[in-house]
């Protein structure tokens, strides 16, 4: 029964693909979000060659980078340094991300952040404010337990957004009501269509000031 449903899902995917859309296992990062966009991007996690091909086919400027740590748990796979994308990233150095995270961010910037800003803020987002991507640590910086997705540069903590008109929208504005809060809620909700892990202020107090976005193996949207 489950095998039949799997075949049916693949058949539906193939039959419903628009002309010019990429086949399963490939990803066109310039396409709008479709039914299987998240699955296509997630498939890039275990296929560096396809992931780099997807980035090459986009307008992102990036360079491949070698891992900074000899520790197995803190070695990213297919790491890239993002020097140019749909949006800028506030940091003295270009952010380093796993290839899959970079691919997800590229789509997220254009398909989720930009439309939300147009709907709620009457201004474009020019810059993503963040606390970083790579951090060789375990979840919650504990001494034991599983390793954070940050340990593999597979996550980013977004603290806010700088707008073209000079305003700064902080994730701390989450409960303030009004257009800024509506913008942030839409970002959190729609991010779950791209990333496997999305955590925000509703998750716990530790995330009161940022959105955690990752491409890890565990699905959570909170």
């Amino acid at each position: 029964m489950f095998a039949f449903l799997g075949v049916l899902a693949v058949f539906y995917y193939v039959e419903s693909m628009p002309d010019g859309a990429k086949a399963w296992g490939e990803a066109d990062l310039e396409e709008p979000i479709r039914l299987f966009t998240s699955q296509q991007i997630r498939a890039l996690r275990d296929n560096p060659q396809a992931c780099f091909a997807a980035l090459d086919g986009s307008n992102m400027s990036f360079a491949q980078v070698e891992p900074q740590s000899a520790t197995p748990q803190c070695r990213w796979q297919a790491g890239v340094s993002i020097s140019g994308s749909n949006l800028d990233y506030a940091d003295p150095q270009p952010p380093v991300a796993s290839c899959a995270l970079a691919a997800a961010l590229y789509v997220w910037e254009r398909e989720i952040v930009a439309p939300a800003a147009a709907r709620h803020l009457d201004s474009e987002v020019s810059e993503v404010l963040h606390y970083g991507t790579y951090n060789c640590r375990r979840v919650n910086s504990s001494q034991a337990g599983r390793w954070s997705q940050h340990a593999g540069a597979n996550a980013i903590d977004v603290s806010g957004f700088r707008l073209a008109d000079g305003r700064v929208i902080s994730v701390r504005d989450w409960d303030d009501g009004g257009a800024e809060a509506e913008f942030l809620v839409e970002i959190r909700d729609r991010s779950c269509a791209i990333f496997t892990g999305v955590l925000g202020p509703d998750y716990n107090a530790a995330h009161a000031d940022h959105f955690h976005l990752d491409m890890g193996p565990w699905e959570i949207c909170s």
Side-chain angles (χ1 to χ4, degrees):
M1 179 64 177
F2 290 112
F4 171 76
L5 290 176
V7 171
L8 184 62
V10 172
F11 173 79
Y12 174 77
Y13 169 74
V14 173
E15 288 296 307
S16 62
M17 281 196 305
D19 291 342
K22 293 287 187 178
W24 188 263
E26 302 178 19
D28 185 344
L29 304 183
E30 300 298 338
E31 287 186 346
I33 294 176
R34 304 189 191 281
L35 180 61
F36 287 97
T37 295
S38 63
Q39 285 85 348
Q40 284 184 310
I41 294 177
R42 292 171 193 185
L44 300 177
R45 294 178 298 190
D46 300 318
N47 192 338
Q49 184 176 357
C51 191
F52 288 132
L55 290 187
D56 282 333
S58 75
N59 289 318
M60 175 178 280
S61 298
F62 69 97
Q64 296 184 36
V65 291
E66 294 298 321
Q68 295 178 347
S69 173
T71 304
Q73 297 87 346
C74 295
R75 290 176 62 85
W76 56 67
Q77 293 183 343
V80 300
S81 175
I82 303 171
S83 56
S85 194
N86 299 298
L87 300 174
D88 291 332
Y89 286 82
D91 196 296
Q93 299 294 327
V96 170
S98 67
C99 184
L101 178 63
L105 286 171
Y106 184 79
V107 176
W108 173 77
E109 297 157 7
R110 185 188 67 247
E111 297 293 317
I112 294 177
V113 176
R119 272 189 286 271
H120 299 290
L121 303 176
D122 195 30
S123 180
E124 295 180 352
V125 171
S126 61
E127 192 173 42
V128 178
L129 310 178
H130 65 100
Y131 294 143
T133 54
Y134 175 71
N135 189 339
C136 184
R137 62 174 175 81
R138 298 179 190 270
V139 173
N140 296 323
S141 299
S142 61
Q143 297 300 311
R146 60 186 175 87
W147 288 84
S148 168
Q149 290 302 307
H150 288 286
N154 204 32
I156 186 171
D157 288 339
V158 174
S159 60
F161 305 87
R162 190 181 309 279
L163 306 185
D165 63 12
R167 284 181 291 165
V168 171
I169 309 300
S170 168
V171 174
R172 288 189 178 277
D173 297 329
W174 180 262
D175 290 323
D176 289 353
E180 291 82 1
E182 292 174 357
F183 165 74
L184 292 170
V185 170
E186 179 171 335
I187 295 294
R188 192 280 309 273
D189 291 349
R190 296 199 63 221
S191 292
C192 300
I194 297 291
F195 302 95
T196 50
V198 177
L199 303 176
D202 282 348
Y203 181 64
N204 61 18
H207 292 82
D209 64 348
H210 68 276
F211 295 139
H212 168 95
L213 310 173
D214 74 53
M215 290 300 294
W218 302 282
E219 293 208 24
I220 184 170
C221 178
S222 179

